[in-house]
Amino acid sequence: MKSILAVALASFATLVCAQEQIPVSPKPSSYLARANTLLEQQPVIDTHNDWPIFLKFYYKGKLNNIDLTHMTNESHTDIERLRKGHVGGQFWSIFYPCEDKEANQVKEGLELIDLVKRMVQRYPDTFQLAGSVAEYEDAIKNGRIASMQGIEGGQIIDSSMSALRQFYDAGVRYMTLTHNCHTPWAESQSPATEYPFPKGTGLTDFGRKIVKEMNRIGMFVDISHVAHSTMHAVLDTTSAPVLFSHTSANAICPIERNVPDSVLRRLNETDGVVMVNFYSRFVECDESKRATLSDVADHIEHIASIAGRDKVGLGSDYNGIDLTPVGLEDVSKYPYLIAELLKRGWSDEDVKGVAGANLLRIWRGVELVRDKLSDVLPDESELNADSMQ
Ligand SMILES: [Zn+2]
């Protein structure tokens, strides 16, 4: 999109300079200029960024002596670039590898939450914690980046309803039911572990109870990373909008990690939204090619063609991926993607939806379901042999 801007500016300059010597200013109607203007009205809300685990692995989670404003290493994220990219809301990923069986997953989850909170505390003019739509709006009003959290991998709650609720109280607003391991109650798309139940189970009885408890407390049920059978099982169970926090389209790149059209056709059942993942290997299945910004726009358009333009958003997976698309190398690049959609004929309202308004709508939906269920008692079920079927 840089080239489009350059071409637009060059042709504008040729036109006006040929007639009279007047100063050349950026053409206001250029797609990038329009994208930047629209993003001032509706900033980007990205639902998946792995900066916390990056900071943990690179700096052992010690933030006091590092500068998060401008990072010179391979981080896709820093404060300068978040601002340049018009990021107004970020769900920071609370992730720990499920394959590490020796780890205390609950402790690892808590330590990453603590890291996010220390980051916010250290840069109070930049970040503000947000646990609701109202708190998101307050952060935007204050000119700060609303900072939310999502657990990536249900193993982090150790099959405990109490842990689930306490993570919510700590600020977590979505949980991806699995990462690359099955939990005892939900099936992953990429089994790094043996099946604890027959393949195709999706959710066990206990898994359905977890989903309902998430509905009750107001936590997004995130069905990225899960098996397609789990996606359908969740849609059969949930009473709140589902979230794909970072998932691309299976019809374009046919891997289980991507969402199939059969699920996209069901998104309106709960007003769910798919936030598109930028990882080159999920966007472009041909490993000899590196994906481009245009390929990511193709995924957005495919999801929109099946489910509607109000059912798609952005879940980049920055700092969690080792290969970004050309043109979307880091968090400063979102405006170029919005400009590409404008170029393809998307309306101002459509692109504001993709940037963040669609996510805000379903977040309100999750809060509404939580309010409706306020009389329901907490689920005191425990995982046991009877529930693993
Ligand atoms: Zn992921």
Side-chain angles (χ1 to χ4, degrees), residues 102-144:
E102 303 300 312
N104 179 334
Q105 294 278 341
V106 176
K107 182 191 82 137
E108 297 294 345
L110 289 173
E111 287 189 356
L112 271 205
I113 291 170
D114 175 65
L115 184 151
V116 170
K117 290 182 176 176
R118 283 185 284 118
M119 177 179 92
V120 171
Q121 197 173 24
R122 176 128 185 264
Y123 292 90
D125 295 334
T126 301
F127 300 115
Q128 182 174 326
L129 290 172
S132 64
V133 174
E135 289 177 7
Y136 160 85
E137 287 169 346
D138 188 60
I140 295 298
K141 198 177 72 197
N142 293 330
R144 301 182 190 130

mmCIF file of all heavy atoms in Angstrom, residues 102-144:
data_model
loop_
_atom_site.group_PDB
_atom_site.id
_atom_site.type_symbol
_atom_site.label_atom_id
_atom_site.label_comp_id
_atom_site.label_asym_id
_atom_site.label_seq_id
_atom_site.Cartn_x
_atom_site.Cartn_y
_atom_site.Cartn_z
ATOM 1 N N GLU A 102 5.792 -30.448 32.810
ATOM 2 C CA GLU A 102 6.369 -30.232 34.144
ATOM 3 C C GLU A 102 5.913 -28.901 34.738
ATOM 4 O O GLU A 102 5.998 -28.685 35.936
ATOM 5 C CB GLU A 102 7.910 -30.220 34.063
ATOM 6 C CG GLU A 102 8.511 -31.480 33.468
ATOM 7 C CD GLU A 102 8.155 -32.710 34.288
ATOM 8 O OE1 GLU A 102 8.310 -32.656 35.516
ATOM 9 O OE2 GLU A 102 7.681 -33.700 33.696
ATOM 10 N N ALA A 103 5.451 -28.003 33.875
ATOM 11 C CA ALA A 103 5.141 -26.654 34.343
ATOM 12 C C ALA A 103 3.865 -26.631 35.177
ATOM 13 O O ALA A 103 2.954 -27.420 34.957
ATOM 14 C CB ALA A 103 4.964 -25.722 33.143
ATOM 15 N N ASN A 104 3.848 -25.721 36.127
ATOM 16 C CA ASN A 104 2.612 -25.421 36.852
ATOM 17 C C ASN A 104 1.875 -24.377 36.008
ATOM 18 O O ASN A 104 2.189 -23.196 36.044
ATOM 19 C CB ASN A 104 2.961 -24.872 38.236
ATOM 20 C CG ASN A 104 1.718 -24.513 39.028
ATOM 21 O OD1 ASN A 104 0.667 -24.218 38.461
ATOM 22 N ND2 ASN A 104 1.841 -24.524 40.338
ATOM 23 N N GLN A 105 0.912 -24.847 35.232
ATOM 24 C CA GLN A 105 0.257 -23.971 34.249
ATOM 25 C C GLN A 105 -0.489 -22.816 34.919
ATOM 26 O O GLN A 105 -0.520 -21.702 34.400
ATOM 27 C CB GLN A 105 -0.698 -24.797 33.380
ATOM 28 C CG GLN A 105 0.009 -25.818 32.480
ATOM 29 C CD GLN A 105 0.552 -25.207 31.195
ATOM 30 O OE1 GLN A 105 0.141 -24.133 30.770
ATOM 31 N NE2 GLN A 105 1.492 -25.894 30.563
ATOM 32 N N VAL A 106 -1.109 -23.084 36.057
ATOM 33 C CA VAL A 106 -1.844 -22.017 36.750
ATOM 34 C C VAL A 106 -0.873 -20.913 37.162
ATOM 35 O O VAL A 106 -1.120 -19.718 36.950
ATOM 36 C CB VAL A 106 -2.597 -22.576 37.974
ATOM 37 C CG1 VAL A 106 -3.284 -21.455 38.747
ATOM 38 C CG2 VAL A 106 -3.619 -23.627 37.546
ATOM 39 N N LYS A 107 0.274 -21.316 37.703
ATOM 40 C CA LYS A 107 1.282 -20.332 38.126
ATOM 41 C C LYS A 107 1.812 -19.549 36.924
ATOM 42 O O LYS A 107 1.960 -18.325 36.983
ATOM 43 C CB LYS A 107 2.443 -21.038 38.836
ATOM 44 C CG LYS A 107 3.499 -20.064 39.347
ATOM 45 C CD LYS A 107 4.758 -20.764 39.798
ATOM 46 C CE LYS A 107 5.635 -21.059 38.616
ATOM 47 N NZ LYS A 107 7.041 -20.823 38.728
ATOM 48 N N GLU A 108 2.070 -20.245 35.820
ATOM 49 C CA GLU A 108 2.584 -19.563 34.627
ATOM 50 C C GLU A 108 1.563 -18.532 34.132
ATOM 51 O O GLU A 108 1.926 -17.428 33.718
ATOM 52 C CB GLU A 108 2.905 -20.567 33.511
ATOM 53 C CG GLU A 108 4.005 -21.564 33.849
ATOM 54 C CD GLU A 108 5.373 -20.920 34.031
ATOM 55 O OE1 GLU A 108 5.549 -19.768 33.625
ATOM 56 O OE2 GLU A 108 6.255 -21.590 34.603
ATOM 57 N N GLY A 109 0.293 -18.911 34.167
ATOM 58 C CA GLY A 109 -0.761 -17.975 33.770
ATOM 59 C C GLY A 109 -0.777 -16.745 34.659
ATOM 60 O O GLY A 109 -0.823 -15.598 34.179
ATOM 61 N N LEU A 110 -0.695 -16.973 35.955
ATOM 62 C CA LEU A 110 -0.719 -15.846 36.896
ATOM 63 C C LEU A 110 0.492 -14.936 36.695
ATOM 64 O O LEU A 110 0.382 -13.712 36.775
ATOM 65 C CB LEU A 110 -0.733 -16.371 38.342
ATOM 66 C CG LEU A 110 -2.052 -17.021 38.785
ATOM 67 C CD1 LEU A 110 -1.889 -17.657 40.162
ATOM 68 C CD2 LEU A 110 -3.185 -15.998 38.796
ATOM 69 N N GLU A 111 1.645 -15.530 36.393
ATOM 70 C CA GLU A 111 2.852 -14.704 36.213
ATOM 71 C C GLU A 111 2.741 -13.821 34.975
ATOM 72 O O GLU A 111 3.214 -12.679 34.971
ATOM 73 C CB GLU A 111 4.096 -15.601 36.138
ATOM 74 C CG GLU A 111 4.446 -16.177 37.501
ATOM 75 C CD GLU A 111 5.784 -16.894 37.548
ATOM 76 O OE1 GLU A 111 6.453 -17.027 36.501
ATOM 77 O OE2 GLU A 111 6.149 -17.335 38.653
ATOM 78 N N LEU A 112 2.091 -14.326 33.927
ATOM 79 C CA LEU A 112 1.930 -13.481 32.732
ATOM 80 C C LEU A 112 0.917 -12.361 32.964
ATOM 81 O O LEU A 112 1.076 -11.252 32.447
ATOM 82 C CB LEU A 112 1.512 -14.322 31.533
ATOM 83 C CG LEU A 112 2.614 -14.929 30.669
ATOM 84 C CD1 LEU A 112 2.108 -15.179 29.264
ATOM 85 C CD2 LEU A 112 3.871 -14.091 30.611
ATOM 86 N N ILE A 113 -0.122 -12.670 33.728
ATOM 87 C CA ILE A 113 -1.077 -11.609 34.085
ATOM 88 C C ILE A 113 -0.351 -10.521 34.867
ATOM 89 O O ILE A 113 -0.521 -9.318 34.615
ATOM 90 C CB ILE A 113 -2.258 -12.189 34.894
ATOM 91 C CG1 ILE A 113 -3.120 -13.070 33.987
ATOM 92 C CG2 ILE A 113 -3.093 -11.072 35.528
ATOM 93 C CD1 ILE A 113 -4.164 -13.881 34.718
ATOM 94 N N ASP A 114 0.490 -10.949 35.794
ATOM 95 C CA ASP A 114 1.277 -9.997 36.580
ATOM 96 C C ASP A 114 2.193 -9.180 35.667
ATOM 97 O O ASP A 114 2.346 -7.963 35.852
ATOM 98 C CB ASP A 114 2.094 -10.768 37.627
ATOM 99 C CG ASP A 114 3.020 -9.872 38.404
ATOM 100 O OD1 ASP A 114 2.519 -9.007 39.143
ATOM 101 O OD2 ASP A 114 4.252 -10.004 38.251
ATOM 102 N N LEU A 115 2.763 -9.821 34.656
ATOM 103 C CA LEU A 115 3.639 -9.107 33.720
ATOM 104 C C LEU A 115 2.858 -8.019 32.979
ATOM 105 O O LEU A 115 3.319 -6.878 32.851
ATOM 106 C CB LEU A 115 4.266 -10.099 32.731
ATOM 107 C CG LEU A 115 5.281 -9.555 31.730
ATOM 108 C CD1 LEU A 115 6.288 -10.648 31.360
ATOM 109 C CD2 LEU A 115 4.643 -9.027 30.445
ATOM 110 N N VAL A 116 1.658 -8.377 32.495
ATOM 111 C CA VAL A 116 0.833 -7.384 31.777
ATOM 112 C C VAL A 116 0.518 -6.212 32.714
ATOM 113 O O VAL A 116 0.616 -5.040 32.327
ATOM 114 C CB VAL A 116 -0.469 -8.025 31.250
ATOM 115 C CG1 VAL A 116 -1.433 -6.955 30.737
ATOM 116 C CG2 VAL A 116 -0.160 -9.035 30.147
ATOM 117 N N LYS A 117 0.186 -6.528 33.950
ATOM 118 C CA LYS A 117 -0.169 -5.449 34.884
ATOM 119 C C LYS A 117 1.044 -4.575 35.211
ATOM 120 O O LYS A 117 0.914 -3.353 35.359
ATOM 121 C CB LYS A 117 -0.794 -6.053 36.148
ATOM 122 C CG LYS A 117 -2.174 -6.622 35.854
ATOM 123 C CD LYS A 117 -2.866 -7.190 37.071
ATOM 124 C CE LYS A 117 -4.275 -7.628 36.681
ATOM 125 N NZ LYS A 117 -5.002 -8.281 37.776
ATOM 126 N N ARG A 118 2.225 -5.187 35.280
ATOM 127 C CA ARG A 118 3.434 -4.382 35.513
ATOM 128 C C ARG A 118 3.741 -3.494 34.309
ATOM 129 O O ARG A 118 4.205 -2.355 34.450
ATOM 130 C CB ARG A 118 4.627 -5.309 35.822
ATOM 131 C CG ARG A 118 4.587 -5.856 37.255
ATOM 132 C CD ARG A 118 5.827 -6.668 37.604
ATOM 133 N NE ARG A 118 5.806 -7.989 37.007
ATOM 134 C CZ ARG A 118 6.688 -8.442 36.125
ATOM 135 N NH1 ARG A 118 7.680 -7.653 35.716
ATOM 136 N NH2 ARG A 118 6.608 -9.661 35.643
ATOM 137 N N MET A 119 3.471 -4.008 33.121
ATOM 138 C CA MET A 119 3.678 -3.221 31.899
ATOM 139 C C MET A 119 2.757 -1.993 31.904
ATOM 140 O O MET A 119 3.195 -0.871 31.624
ATOM 141 C CB MET A 119 3.380 -4.104 30.683
ATOM 142 C CG MET A 119 3.485 -3.440 29.355
ATOM 143 S SD MET A 119 3.129 -4.641 28.035
ATOM 144 C CE MET A 119 1.371 -4.407 27.828
ATOM 145 N N VAL A 120 1.511 -2.220 32.245
ATOM 146 C CA VAL A 120 0.536 -1.121 32.286
ATOM 147 C C VAL A 120 0.934 -0.108 33.352
ATOM 148 O O VAL A 120 0.887 1.112 33.132
ATOM 149 C CB VAL A 120 -0.880 -1.687 32.547
ATOM 150 C CG1 VAL A 120 -1.883 -0.568 32.814
ATOM 151 C CG2 VAL A 120 -1.337 -2.552 31.374
ATOM 152 N N GLN A 121 1.378 -0.626 34.490
ATOM 153 C CA GLN A 121 1.758 0.247 35.605
ATOM 154 C C GLN A 121 2.988 1.090 35.246
ATOM 155 O O GLN A 121 3.090 2.250 35.612
ATOM 156 C CB GLN A 121 2.091 -0.647 36.802
ATOM 157 C CG GLN A 121 2.121 0.061 38.127
ATOM 158 C CD GLN A 121 2.299 -0.943 39.265
ATOM 159 O OE1 GLN A 121 2.818 -2.050 39.090
ATOM 160 N NE2 GLN A 121 1.851 -0.560 40.432
ATOM 161 N N ARG A 122 3.891 0.499 34.491
ATOM 162 C CA ARG A 122 5.137 1.197 34.149
ATOM 163 C C ARG A 122 4.897 2.287 33.097
ATOM 164 O O ARG A 122 5.626 3.276 33.034
ATOM 165 C CB ARG A 122 6.142 0.164 33.627
ATOM 166 C CG ARG A 122 7.425 0.754 33.154
ATOM 167 C CD ARG A 122 8.646 0.111 33.754
ATOM 168 N NE ARG A 122 9.798 0.858 33.292
ATOM 169 C CZ ARG A 122 10.527 0.508 32.244
ATOM 170 N NH1 ARG A 122 10.272 -0.604 31.601
ATOM 171 N NH2 ARG A 122 11.526 1.263 31.858
ATOM 172 N N TYR A 123 3.886 2.103 32.266
ATOM 173 C CA TYR A 123 3.595 3.088 31.209
ATOM 174 C C TYR A 123 2.141 3.551 31.334
ATOM 175 O O TYR A 123 1.319 3.284 30.460
ATOM 176 C CB TYR A 123 3.844 2.484 29.822
ATOM 177 C CG TYR A 123 5.302 2.196 29.553
ATOM 178 C CD1 TYR A 123 5.850 0.964 29.871
ATOM 179 C CD2 TYR A 123 6.130 3.173 29.003
ATOM 180 C CE1 TYR A 123 7.197 0.703 29.637
ATOM 181 C CE2 TYR A 123 7.479 2.923 28.768
ATOM 182 C CZ TYR A 123 8.010 1.684 29.091
ATOM 183 O OH TYR A 123 9.344 1.427 28.865
ATOM 184 N N PRO A 124 1.837 4.268 32.419
ATOM 185 C CA PRO A 124 0.426 4.628 32.684
ATOM 186 C C PRO A 124 -0.155 5.622 31.690
ATOM 187 O O PRO A 124 -1.377 5.727 31.575
ATOM 188 C CB PRO A 124 0.476 5.220 34.101
ATOM 189 C CG PRO A 124 1.884 5.680 34.278
ATOM 190 C CD PRO A 124 2.738 4.761 33.470
ATOM 191 N N ASP A 125 0.701 6.362 30.980
ATOM 192 C CA ASP A 125 0.174 7.283 29.967
ATOM 193 C C ASP A 125 -0.146 6.566 28.664
ATOM 194 O O ASP A 125 -0.804 7.114 27.787
ATOM 195 C CB ASP A 125 1.184 8.401 29.669
ATOM 196 C CG ASP A 125 1.396 9.278 30.891
ATOM 197 O OD1 ASP A 125 0.471 9.349 31.728
ATOM 198 O OD2 ASP A 125 2.494 9.868 31.018
ATOM 199 N N THR A 126 0.347 5.340 28.533
ATOM 200 C CA THR A 126 0.149 4.571 27.296
ATOM 201 C C THR A 126 -0.935 3.517 27.442
ATOM 202 O O THR A 126 -1.782 3.361 26.567
ATOM 203 C CB THR A 126 1.461 3.865 26.893
ATOM 204 O OG1 THR A 126 2.467 4.861 26.711
ATOM 205 C CG2 THR A 126 1.283 3.056 25.617
ATOM 206 N N PHE A 127 -0.880 2.776 28.547
ATOM 207 C CA PHE A 127 -1.781 1.633 28.702
ATOM 208 C C PHE A 127 -2.769 1.863 29.843
ATOM 209 O O PHE A 127 -2.477 2.559 30.815
ATOM 210 C CB PHE A 127 -0.980 0.357 29.000
ATOM 211 C CG PHE A 127 -0.001 -0.027 27.928
ATOM 212 C CD1 PHE A 127 1.373 -0.010 28.176
ATOM 213 C CD2 PHE A 127 -0.443 -0.420 26.671
ATOM 214 C CE1 PHE A 127 2.288 -0.378 27.185
ATOM 215 C CE2 PHE A 127 0.464 -0.788 25.675
ATOM 216 C CZ PHE A 127 1.826 -0.766 25.935
ATOM 217 N N GLN A 128 -3.927 1.236 29.708
ATOM 218 C CA GLN A 128 -4.918 1.247 30.790
ATOM 219 C C GLN A 128 -5.630 -0.101 30.771
ATOM 220 O O GLN A 128 -6.113 -0.536 29.717
ATOM 221 C CB GLN A 128 -5.920 2.388 30.560
ATOM 222 C CG GLN A 128 -6.966 2.507 31.664
ATOM 223 C CD GLN A 128 -7.860 3.745 31.478
ATOM 224 O OE1 GLN A 128 -7.415 4.792 30.996
ATOM 225 N NE2 GLN A 128 -9.116 3.619 31.851
ATOM 226 N N LEU A 129 -5.685 -0.758 31.909
ATOM 227 C CA LEU A 129 -6.378 -2.047 31.973
ATOM 228 C C LEU A 129 -7.861 -1.854 31.696
ATOM 229 O O LEU A 129 -8.459 -0.858 32.118
ATOM 230 C CB LEU A 129 -6.205 -2.689 33.351
ATOM 231 C CG LEU A 129 -4.801 -3.199 33.696
ATOM 232 C CD1 LEU A 129 -4.740 -3.622 35.166
ATOM 233 C CD2 LEU A 129 -4.389 -4.356 32.778
ATOM 234 N N ALA A 130 -8.450 -2.811 30.981
ATOM 235 C CA ALA A 130 -9.885 -2.735 30.689
ATOM 236 C C ALA A 130 -10.486 -4.131 30.801
ATOM 237 O O ALA A 130 -9.971 -5.085 30.228
ATOM 238 C CB ALA A 130 -10.115 -2.174 29.288
ATOM 239 N N GLY A 131 -11.588 -4.223 31.545
ATOM 240 C CA GLY A 131 -12.254 -5.516 31.717
ATOM 241 C C GLY A 131 -13.696 -5.486 31.255
ATOM 242 O O GLY A 131 -14.455 -6.424 31.512
ATOM 243 N N SER A 132 -14.079 -4.403 30.580
ATOM 244 C CA SER A 132 -15.460 -4.272 30.089
ATOM 245 C C SER A 132 -15.451 -3.290 28.927
ATOM 246 O O SER A 132 -14.460 -2.562 28.723
ATOM 247 C CB SER A 132 -16.369 -3.733 31.204
ATOM 248 O OG SER A 132 -15.960 -2.427 31.565
ATOM 249 N N VAL A 133 -16.561 -3.257 28.206
ATOM 250 C CA VAL A 133 -16.665 -2.287 27.108
ATOM 251 C C VAL A 133 -16.570 -0.868 27.673
ATOM 252 O O VAL A 133 -15.898 -0.006 27.097
ATOM 253 C CB VAL A 133 -17.985 -2.483 26.324
ATOM 254 C CG1 VAL A 133 -18.155 -1.387 25.291
ATOM 255 C CG2 VAL A 133 -18.009 -3.862 25.653
ATOM 256 N N ALA A 134 -17.206 -0.634 28.818
ATOM 257 C CA ALA A 134 -17.170 0.705 29.429
ATOM 258 C C ALA A 134 -15.730 1.090 29.779
ATOM 259 O O ALA A 134 -15.318 2.243 29.569
ATOM 260 C CB ALA A 134 -18.052 0.736 30.677
ATOM 261 N N GLU A 135 -14.963 0.133 30.289
ATOM 262 C CA GLU A 135 -13.568 0.438 30.638
ATOM 263 C C GLU A 135 -12.714 0.629 29.382
ATOM 264 O O GLU A 135 -11.777 1.430 29.379
ATOM 265 C CB GLU A 135 -12.994 -0.666 31.532
ATOM 266 C CG GLU A 135 -13.601 -0.628 32.934
ATOM 267 C CD GLU A 135 -13.121 -1.748 33.843
ATOM 268 O OE1 GLU A 135 -12.210 -2.516 33.466
ATOM 269 O OE2 GLU A 135 -13.684 -1.868 34.952
ATOM 270 N N TYR A 136 -13.033 -0.098 28.329
ATOM 271 C CA TYR A 136 -12.349 0.129 27.052
ATOM 272 C C TYR A 136 -12.599 1.570 26.602
ATOM 273 O O TYR A 136 -11.676 2.299 26.223
ATOM 274 C CB TYR A 136 -12.845 -0.861 25.977
ATOM 275 C CG TYR A 136 -12.564 -0.388 24.566
ATOM 276 C CD1 TYR A 136 -11.337 -0.623 23.963
ATOM 277 C CD2 TYR A 136 -13.528 0.347 23.855
ATOM 278 C CE1 TYR A 136 -11.066 -0.143 22.684
ATOM 279 C CE2 TYR A 136 -13.270 0.832 22.590
ATOM 280 C CZ TYR A 136 -12.039 0.587 22.000
ATOM 281 O OH TYR A 136 -11.774 1.079 20.747
ATOM 282 N N GLU A 137 -13.868 1.984 26.658
ATOM 283 C CA GLU A 137 -14.220 3.332 26.197
ATOM 284 C C GLU A 137 -13.552 4.404 27.054
ATOM 285 O O GLU A 137 -13.137 5.449 26.546
ATOM 286 C CB GLU A 137 -15.746 3.492 26.191
ATOM 287 C CG GLU A 137 -16.376 2.715 25.033
ATOM 288 C CD GLU A 137 -17.894 2.611 25.107
ATOM 289 O OE1 GLU A 137 -18.468 2.912 26.178
ATOM 290 O OE2 GLU A 137 -18.486 2.208 24.087
ATOM 291 N N ASP A 138 -13.407 4.118 28.333
ATOM 292 C CA ASP A 138 -12.743 5.076 29.220
ATOM 293 C C ASP A 138 -11.263 5.219 28.841
ATOM 294 O O ASP A 138 -10.722 6.328 28.815
ATOM 295 C CB ASP A 138 -12.881 4.609 30.677
ATOM 296 C CG ASP A 138 -12.380 5.658 31.643
ATOM 297 O OD1 ASP A 138 -12.935 6.780 31.642
ATOM 298 O OD2 ASP A 138 -11.408 5.386 32.369
ATOM 299 N N ALA A 139 -10.635 4.086 28.528
ATOM 300 C CA ALA A 139 -9.220 4.130 28.115
ATOM 301 C C ALA A 139 -9.056 4.961 26.840
ATOM 302 O O ALA A 139 -8.151 5.789 26.734
ATOM 303 C CB ALA A 139 -8.694 2.712 27.889
ATOM 304 N N ILE A 140 -9.963 4.753 25.878
ATOM 305 C CA ILE A 140 -9.891 5.510 24.616
ATOM 306 C C ILE A 140 -10.064 7.000 24.890
ATOM 307 O O ILE A 140 -9.334 7.843 24.362
ATOM 308 C CB ILE A 140 -10.979 5.002 23.628
ATOM 309 C CG1 ILE A 140 -10.697 3.555 23.219
ATOM 310 C CG2 ILE A 140 -11.078 5.912 22.403
ATOM 311 C CD1 ILE A 140 -9.399 3.338 22.478
ATOM 312 N N LYS A 141 -11.020 7.311 25.747
ATOM 313 C CA LYS A 141 -11.266 8.725 26.103
ATOM 314 C C LYS A 141 -10.007 9.353 26.699
ATOM 315 O O LYS A 141 -9.707 10.522 26.474
ATOM 316 C CB LYS A 141 -12.428 8.781 27.109
ATOM 317 C CG LYS A 141 -13.079 10.139 27.236
ATOM 318 C CD LYS A 141 -14.255 10.075 28.186
ATOM 319 C CE LYS A 141 -13.733 9.912 29.587
ATOM 320 N NZ LYS A 141 -14.618 9.465 30.607
ATOM 321 N N ASN A 142 -9.248 8.554 27.443
ATOM 322 C CA ASN A 142 -8.022 9.048 28.073
ATOM 323 C C ASN A 142 -6.811 9.003 27.143
ATOM 324 O O ASN A 142 -5.695 9.309 27.568
ATOM 325 C CB ASN A 142 -7.712 8.212 29.330
ATOM 326 C CG ASN A 142 -8.757 8.419 30.413
ATOM 327 O OD1 ASN A 142 -9.344 9.496 30.508
ATOM 328 N ND2 ASN A 142 -8.994 7.399 31.217
ATOM 329 N N GLY A 143 -7.032 8.575 25.911
ATOM 330 C CA GLY A 143 -5.922 8.528 24.951
ATOM 331 C C GLY A 143 -4.957 7.377 25.202
ATOM 332 O O GLY A 143 -3.801 7.412 24.779
ATOM 333 N N ARG A 144 -5.432 6.346 25.887
ATOM 334 C CA ARG A 144 -4.556 5.209 26.201
ATOM 335 C C ARG A 144 -4.984 3.961 25.443
ATOM 336 O O ARG A 144 -6.114 3.883 24.944
ATOM 337 C CB ARG A 144 -4.587 4.926 27.701
ATOM 338 C CG ARG A 144 -4.129 6.115 28.519
ATOM 339 C CD ARG A 144 -4.131 5.773 30.010
ATOM 340 N NE ARG A 144 -3.912 6.969 30.789
ATOM 341 C CZ ARG A 144 -4.675 7.351 31.820
ATOM 342 N NH1 ARG A 144 -5.690 6.598 32.202
ATOM 343 N NH2 ARG A 144 -4.419 8.468 32.480
#
